[in-house]
Amino acid sequence: MNDNTNKITIRTASTKNDAGESEPYMYTVHQHGLQHAHFVVHDFDTPEEAKAAAMELAESLKATPWVSPFVKHQSVILADYGTAARLRRFVLSLYNGHAFPVDLSDISGMDKRHFGIVLELMTSYHTLGENDNAMLKLAERIKKEFREDK
């Protein structure tokens, strides 16, 4: 049975040098159709180090497949208590900050566990933006089910 559910690819972007030869410019790591990271050659001492960093991430993703934090923490975000409501407002703010602004004091007063969830959500959104369909689906669900959190 061929299981492509955790298919990971490393892509290379190249450029031509002065001699007209192709040289790697960047390596990108993809899983589930999403780009998880990019490793620009000039950020490393050698192109081989950039490739090794991409391969290390790919191996890590093979061992522990990435799951969107919007899926991983959905039960907490949708729970019925005050901090969960603040998490919902934060998700809506990522979804559309103009329509759903969030008061940063909502975040600063969170305990370590919930603040960690905020950091995971924010980091994921910073990396993937609205390419993470799980974020979009969760925000739509929150809009429909929790109108009072606006």
Side-chain angles (χ1 to χ4, degrees):
M1 183 165 127
N2 186 7
D3 183 8
N4 287 328
T5 57
N6 193 32
K7 183 177 180 184
I8 299 161
T9 57
I10 298 174
R11 297 181 186 155
T12 306
S14 299
T15 186
K16 300 270 184 189
N17 63 18
D18 293 337
E21 300 166 334
S22 188
E23 292 181 340
Y25 166 76
M26 175 175 56
Y27 297 93
T28 58
V29 179
H30 302 258
Q31 182 186 41
H32 305 299
L34 300 173
Q35 178 179 314
H36 287 277
H38 65 276
F39 300 89
V40 180
V41 169
H42 74 261
D43 291 339
F44 294 84
D45 291 333
T46 66
E48 292 77 20
E49 288 181 12
K51 183 177 182 180
M55 292 178 77
E56 183 178 338
L57 175 60
E59 288 303 315
S60 172
L61 289 170
K62 283 180 188 173
T64 308
W66 179 83
V67 175
S68 171
F70 296 93
V71 171
K72 184 165 62 171
H73 300 295
Q74 182 171 315
S75 64
V76 173
I77 294 166
L78 297 175
D80 186 22
Y81 60 96
T83 304
R86 291 189 278 166
L87 288 171
R88 288 192 294 276
R89 287 192 296 272
F90 181 74
V91 170
L92 288 175
S93 181
L94 293 175
Y95 175 75
N96 184 342
H98 295 292
F100 304 100
V102 70
D103 182 347
L104 292 179
S105 67
D106 279 355
I107 296 168
S108 65
M110 289 183 179
D111 62 30
K112 187 174 182 176
R113 174 182 178 228
H114 291 93
F115 185 73
I117 292 171
V118 166
L119 291 178
E120 277 189 67
L121 299 174
M122 188 180 337
T123 301
S124 178
Y125 186 79
H126 181 262
T127 303
L128 302 172
E130 293 184 2
N131 291 318
D132 183 354
N133 286 329
M135 186 279 295
L136 298 173
K137 288 178 184 175
L138 181 58
E140 287 294 331
R141 182 173 176 186
I142 292 168
K143 281 175 39 181
K144 288 178 185 168
E145 294 181 19
F146 298 93
R147 295 188 189 272
E148 78 281 357
D149 286 349
K150 293 180 185 176

